[in-house]
Coordinates of all heavy atoms in Angstrom, one line a residue:
Q87 N 2.3 -15.3 -3.5 CA 2.4 -14.2 -4.5 C 2.6 -12.8 -4.0 O 2.3 -11.9 -4.7 CB 1.0 -14.3 -5.3 CG 0.9 -15.6 -6.2 CD -0.2 -15.5 -7.2 OE1 -0.9 -14.5 -7.3 NE2 -0.4 -16.5 -7.9
N351 N -5.6 -9.3 -22.9 CA -6.0 -9.6 -24.3 C -4.9 -9.6 -25.3 O -5.2 -9.8 -26.5 CB -7.1 -8.6 -24.6 CG -6.6 -7.2 -24.8 OD1 -5.4 -6.9 -25.0 ND2 -7.6 -6.2 -24.8
A411 N -4.9 -17.2 -24.3 CA -5.9 -17.9 -23.4 C -6.4 -17.0 -22.4 O -5.8 -15.9 -22.2 CB -5.1 -19.1 -22.8
K449 N -26.9 -17.9 -9.5 CA -27.3 -18.4 -8.2 C -26.2 -17.9 -7.2 O -25.0 -18.1 -7.4 CB -27.3 -20.0 -8.3 CG -27.8 -20.6 -7.0 CD -28.0 -22.1 -7.3 CE -28.3 -22.9 -6.0 NZ -27.0 -23.3 -5.4
E522 N 20.7 -10.5 -21.6 CA 21.6 -11.6 -21.2 C 21.3 -12.0 -19.8 O 21.2 -11.2 -18.9 CB 23.0 -11.2 -21.4 CG 24.0 -12.3 -21.1 CD 25.4 -11.7 -20.7 OE1 25.6 -10.5 -20.9 OE2 26.3 -12.5 -20.3

Side-chain angles (χ1 to χ4, degrees):
Q87 293 193 358
N351 72 17
K449 188 169 165 274
E522 181 201 355

